[in-house]
Amino acid sequence: FLMGRCQLALAGKMPFTGEHLKLCGQLFDFLRVIECWDDLDAGHWEEHSAQHASSLGPVLAATRSFQQVLRTNPGWLFPGKSDTLTLLETKLEAALKQILPNEVITPYKNAKDADGALIFLCYPLDVVDQAVGAQILERIETITGHIAVCRYRKDSYWCKDYKELYADPTKHFTDEELKERDANIKIGEEAQWCLFDPMISAYYGKLYQRTKKEDFLKKQQLYLARALAAITGDDCEFGAWMCAEAFYLAKGKWQPNDNTPLVWTMVDLKMAIYEMEISLGGSGKPSSSSCAVS
């Protein structure tokens, strides 16, 4: 919320009002009080209590964005404790420096050295430098499948024959229940998620736009092609031309899971296409001659 609200204000789409400024100040002060940089949460995937890099990154991005809001509005003061933003930025940067390029190092029993969620720290949050970004991309290659990208190795959500094993795909599992579920998974049988290829493509696009290195453009094209190839065909039970959440193994066949179509995947793909247009010399904006689609 904080990151999105700041970006809307910075883009002139939704200027801040006094009440929203006050609310954001209260939220940042709350994050300070709970010491979010040292807090255990359920992470992107609402699983496994741990200190997740992918949870800290959005807070850092929001902190920096709100600082930018204040800089672009001379005379505005932070509506909370005066040192909150500086403290958050310092603590979050230190925590991420200790964890990255891993997703989790604390507690050790839940450690993850590769997780697809880390791509969001590269793009669109832009809270890591190019060197750390390269390490994250290298780790993600180890969880990349033939269709899409696993969330992480030995991820049992939507594992092989998931709907037969668990009657309710929407069930929330406790940490203890997760241990039992995770016991069923074998490496290579994890679901492959369609959220990540578009973001990897978009990030490579940003790298190409900054450096003009052809290798980055080739990688941008590769991951965009993978994302497009994952769009459903006529044999999909949910219909053709759908952006799936993930593909999973069901009775020996890889097929889209029940969360198809998924708006999150659609938005990611739209961003990947946007960055590709810029890489190819376009503006990324719709042309005036574009036909409206009803």
Side-chain angles (χ1 to χ4, degrees):
F1 168 79
L2 287 169
M3 174 65 175
R5 185 64 186 87
C6 289
Q7 291 303 307
L8 285 170
L10 290 168
K13 302 293 185 182
M14 188 179 177
F16 267 113
T17 63
E19 285 301 312
H20 272 203
L21 276 174
K22 179 181 177 181
L23 173 61
C24 288
Q26 290 171 333
L27 289 173
F28 281 116
D29 277 342
F30 169 76
L31 291 167
R32 171 185 182 157
V33 168
I34 66 170
E35 298 184 351
C36 64
W37 55 86
D38 195 31
D39 192 36
L40 303 187
D41 76 340
H44 252 65
W45 314 129
E46 301 178 15
E47 298 175 344
H48 305 114
S49 297
Q51 184 185 33
H52 294 85
S54 63
S55 295
L56 300 178
V59 185
L60 178 58
T63 301
R64 291 175 176 174
S65 291
F66 200 77
Q67 289 172 326
Q68 187 178 355
V69 168
L70 296 179
R71 287 195 298 269
T72 56
N73 292 276
W76 284 20
L77 298 175
F78 178 70
K81 293 186 177 180
S82 60
D83 64 338
T84 287
L85 294 179
T86 301
L87 177 69
L88 284 173
E89 184 174 27
T90 300
K91 294 289 189 179
L92 289 164
E93 285 178 348
L96 283 171
K97 184 176 181 180
Q98 184 179 18
I99 301 169
L100 291 172
N102 303 286
E103 163 69 339
V104 172
I105 60 174
T106 303
Y108 179 76
K109 65 179 181 179
N110 291 334
K112 291 190 184 75
D113 63 351
D115 193 303
L118 291 174
I119 191 59
F120 299 112
L121 273 62
C122 303
Y123 184 97
L125 297 179
D126 193 26
V127 293
V128 298
D129 60 28
Q130 188 170 328
V132 175
Q135 291 178 303
I136 289 172
L137 289 170
E138 185 177 359
R139 297 286 181 90
I140 289 177
E141 287 183 6
T142 68
I143 55 174
T144 298
H146 65 297
I147 299 174
V149 178
C150 303
R151 298 193 305 180
Y152 53 89
R153 281 296 171 213
K154 302 204 78 175
D155 172 19
S156 59
Y157 185 46
W158 285 106
C159 62
K160 181 180 178 181
D161 297 322
Y162 190 80
K163 288 171 69 173
E164 293 185 15
L165 292 169
Y166 308 102
D168 180 9
T170 65
K171 172 180 166 58
H172 177 76
F173 290 79
T174 66
D175 280 3
E176 288 303 314
E177 290 173 328
L178 277 173
K179 290 179 182 178
E180 296 178 14
R181 195 183 78 184
D182 290 346
N184 293 321
I185 186 68
K186 296 179 181 178
I187 291 178
E189 294 181 352
E190 304 95 342
Q192 298 184 27
W193 297 71
C194 303
L195 309 169
F196 307 121
D197 284 288
M199 293 290 93
I200 297 171
S201 174
Y203 181 54
Y204 273 120
K206 282 295 188 186
L207 294 176
Y208 171 71
Q209 293 156 25
R210 294 169 188 163
T211 66
K212 299 303 178 183
K213 291 184 178 180
E214 188 175 345
D215 285 348
F216 290 145
L217 179 59
K218 289 180 179 179
K219 287 291 185 68
Q220 182 185 11
Q221 293 169 328
L222 169 64
Y223 283 96
L224 178 57
R226 280 171 51 89
L228 293 171
I231 293 174
T232 64
D234 293 334
D235 60 341
C236 174
E237 64 176 302
F238 306 108
W241 298 102
M242 299 288 185
C243 290
E245 178 183 54
F247 282 77
Y248 78 111
L249 266 174
K251 298 179 180 179
K253 179 183 178 182
W254 288 93
Q255 60 186 27
N257 72 354
D258 288 11
N259 300 323
T260 301
L262 187 73
V263 173
W264 189 355
T265 308
M266 296 179 202
V267 172
D268 285 1
L269 182 55
K270 187 171 183 178
M271 292 305 299
I273 294 171
Y274 168 84
E275 295 295 351
M276 179 57 77
E277 185 176 353
I278 293 176
S279 291
L280 297 179
S283 66
K285 299 178 181 179
S287 66
S288 57
S289 62
S290 295
C291 297
V293 178
S294 59

